[in-house]
């Protein structure tokens, strides 16, 4: 059971205690700073609110002779002018300094990742040290702990917003413009991110996973992703691969190493079997879910840009789903 420091906020915090998509469980220095700022504002606001309500009650119920002594020019001058002016000025300086601290340019050794928003999924492009594209994946971002990650954000269609509450604030993806966000994951684990700007009917199903790895584990993952799709080890999986090309899936999807599969309207599927979820958080990564997605993509995410393949026969569908799941 994760530690929860906010018992007084129990009703709100209960959902947050699970923690994989929560501003109350910061897992980077940037999220720490934002959380501290929020708690200062919240606590300060609460204290002032209680004090003002106390004065109201005093004014209502105390003996009028005593309250008269309290009111007058002094109260208005100090309580109504000096106190708010000083408090707001201090908070302004403090919040500007926090926002400067969390929007610093990245360190030289930052891991560079490009993210392109699509209705309704995330294209994720990994660059090497010299800025060359290494490979493309979708709906998941992986990074090592302790190293800054610089995510360069843009969109292929409408405005989206990138948000992993455990790691940083929100950052918009704007057509024709590149926004950058930098954060340093502190502990290994899986976090959930979510599009935070309404971008059409399936906006709520535009999620992704952020996986923070120990550095050695991350190198293994990179190695795996750089490779083309594995050769199918059984005839059944080979039949699945054949069906993928025969049914035209390759017109929209790329599978590196497979001829006839170089489309880029949909996610790159080269290693789709290794992802935490499919269709941007819509389904778990299981053979059954792949099958379900293929026959009823339009039912699961109405109006997304993949048609439902309702007329596939059973054995073809099973082979296709099993092959996709085997792409690790
Ligand atoms: C007209 C283009 C198009 C065709 C044809 C198409 N897809 Fe897709 N596919 C997409 C799009 C777009 C998405 C992303 C949908 C979303 O999540 O909003 C997608 C998503 C997927 C995903 C989930 C990928 C992920 O990263 O989570 C799988 C698996 C998939 N398609 C398999 C197939 C298979 C198998 C076929 C052929 C039977 C196929 N697709 C045909 C456009 C297409
Ligand atoms: Cu979106």
């Amino acid at each position: 059971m994760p530690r929860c420091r906010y018992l007084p906020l129990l009703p709100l915090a209960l959902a947050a205690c699970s923690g994989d998509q929560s501003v109350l469980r910061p897992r980077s220095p940037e999220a720490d700073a934002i959380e501290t700022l929020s708690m200062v504002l919240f606590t300060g606001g609460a204290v002032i609110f209680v004090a003002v309500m106390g004065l109201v009650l005093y004014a209502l119920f105390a003996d009028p002779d005593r309250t008269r002594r309290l009111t007058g020019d002094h109260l208005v001058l100090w309580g109504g002018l000096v106190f708010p002016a000083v408090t707001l000025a201090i908070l302004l300086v403090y919040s500007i300094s926090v926002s400067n601290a969390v929007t610093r340019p990245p360190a030289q050794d930052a891991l560079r990742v490009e993210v392109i928003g699509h209705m309704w999924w995330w294209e994720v492009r990994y660059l090497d040290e010299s800025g060359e594209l290494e490979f493309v994946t979708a709906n998941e971002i992986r990074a090592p702990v302790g190293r800054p990650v610089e995510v360069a954000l843009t969109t292929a269609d409408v405005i989206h917003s990138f948000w992993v509450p455990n790691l940083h604030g929100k950052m918009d993806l704007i057509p024709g413009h590149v926004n950058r966000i930098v954060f340093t994951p502190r502990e290994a684990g899986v976090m959930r991110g979510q599009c935070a700007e309404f971008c059409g009917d399936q906006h709520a199903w535009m999620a992704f996973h952020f996986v923070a790895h120990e550095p050695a584990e991350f190198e293994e993952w990179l190695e795996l992703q750089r490779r083309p799709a594995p050769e199918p080890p059984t005839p059944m999986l080979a039949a699945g691969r054949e069906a993928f090309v025969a049914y035209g899936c390759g017109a929209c999807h790329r599978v590196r190493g497979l001829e006839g599969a170089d489309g880029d309207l949909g996610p790159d599927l080269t290693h789709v079997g290794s992802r935490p979820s499919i269709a941007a958080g819509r389904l778990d990564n299981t053979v059954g879910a792949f099958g379900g997605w293929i026959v009823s993509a339009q039912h699961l995410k109405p109006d997304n840009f993949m048609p439902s393949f309702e007329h596939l026969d059973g054995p073809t569908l099973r082979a296709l789903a099993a092959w996709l799941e085997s792409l690790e």
Side-chain angles (χ1 to χ4, degrees), residues 11 25 31 35 75 97 105 123 165 171 176 210 251 267 282 286 299-300 315:
R25 289 272 297 148
E35 191 222 22
L75 185 68
S97 77
E123 178 180 344
M171 182 63 81
F210 189 99
R282 181 67 181 88
T286 63
H299 174 71
L300 289 160

Side-chain angles (χ1 to χ4, degrees), residues 39-40 51 89 98 134 163 188 207 225 245 283 298 323 326:
M39 290 325 279
V40 167
V98 171
E134 283 214 273
W163 191 32
Q225 297 293 316
V245 178
L283 299 170
Q298 283 303 315
W323 175 66
S326 79

Side-chain angles (χ1 to χ4, degrees), residues 119-121 138-139 244 247-249 252-253 265-267 269 272 275 277-280 290 293-294 301 304-307 309 320 324:
M119 293 159 80
W120 291 282
W121 57 281
N139 303 328
F244 187 83
Y247 284 95
C249 314
C252 292
H253 294 288
L265 232 114
L269 299 180
V272 67
R275 293 180 197 158
S277 75
I278 60 174
F290 276 110
W293 173 254
I294 295 165
K301 268 173 105 165
N304 91 82
F305 295 105
M306 172 160 158
F309 288 78
L320 190 50
L324 287 167

Side-chain angles (χ1 to χ4, degrees), residues 50-317:
V50 169
V52 171
M53 286 305 118
L55 282 177
V56 168
L57 292 179
Y58 183 72
L60 282 177
F61 297 113
D63 171 7
D65 283 339
R66 291 178 61 196
T67 55
R68 205 165 293 129
R69 257 179 282 134
L70 233 188
T71 53
D73 294 352
H74 277 306
L75 185 68
V76 172
L77 180 69
W78 289 99
L81 209 66
V82 178
F83 176 72
V86 170
T87 313
L88 291 177
I90 293 173
L91 286 179
L92 181 68
V93 172
Y94 172 51
S95 61
I96 289 177
S97 77
V98 171
S99 79
N100 274 346
V102 300
T103 52
R104 271 191 306 256
Q108 284 295 314
D109 66 333
L111 173 75
R112 288 156 72 195
V113 181
E114 290 178 351
V115 169
I116 303 174
H118 295 261
M119 293 159 80
W120 291 282
W121 57 281
W122 307 84
E123 178 180 344
V124 180
R125 304 160 67 86
Y126 275 77
L127 310 182
D128 67 13
E129 320 279 86
S130 60
E132 289 291 310
L133 178 67
E134 283 214 273
F135 58 84
V136 181
T137 175
N139 303 328
E140 68 163 352
I141 302 177
R142 299 196 187 218
V145 294
R147 179 174 167 196
V149 188
E150 180 194 325
V151 186
L153 299 158
T154 189
T155 166
D157 37 56
V158 299
I159 297 178
H160 303 274
S161 183
F162 178 93
W163 191 32
V164 190
N166 298 84
L167 293 174
H168 210 313
K170 300 169 185 174
M171 182 63 81
D172 278 3
L173 290 71
I174 294 169
H177 180 79
V178 177
N179 273 337
R180 282 165 213 283
I181 187 167
V182 182
F183 47 82
T184 309
R186 185 174 46 212
E187 40 185 289
V190 182
M191 290 152 261
R192 198 169 177 282
Q194 171 69 46
C195 180
E197 176 86 42
F198 181 73
C199 59
D201 289 354
Q202 298 307 319
H203 157 71
W205 286 121
M206 184 168 167
F208 62 99
H209 286 89
F210 189 99
V211 187
H213 283 294
E214 294 304 334
E217 236 176 53
F218 176 67
E219 286 304 322
E220 275 170 34
W221 178 79
L222 275 184
E223 258 324 297
L224 194 90
Q225 297 293 316
R226 287 182 187 125
R227 288 190 215 139
E231 276 300 305
T234 69
M236 193 258 226
L237 296 178
R241 181 169 79 170
E242 246 164 63
F244 187 83
V245 178
Y247 284 95
C249 314
C252 292
H253 294 288
R254 187 181 302 274
V255 175
R256 267 179 294 131
L258 177 59
E259 207 170 316
D262 55 3
D264 50 17
L265 232 114
D268 185 306
L269 299 180
T270 308
H271 294 288
V272 67
S274 67
R275 293 180 197 158
S277 75
I278 60 174
R282 181 67 181 88
L283 299 170
D284 290 339
N285 179 348
T286 63
V287 175
F290 276 110
W293 173 254
I294 295 165
V295 288
S296 43
Q298 283 303 315
H299 174 71
L300 289 160
K301 268 173 105 165
D303 292 336
N304 91 82
F305 295 105
M306 172 160 158
S308 297
F309 288 78
E310 287 156 357
H311 303 298
L312 291 181
D313 61 275
T316 307
L317 180 63

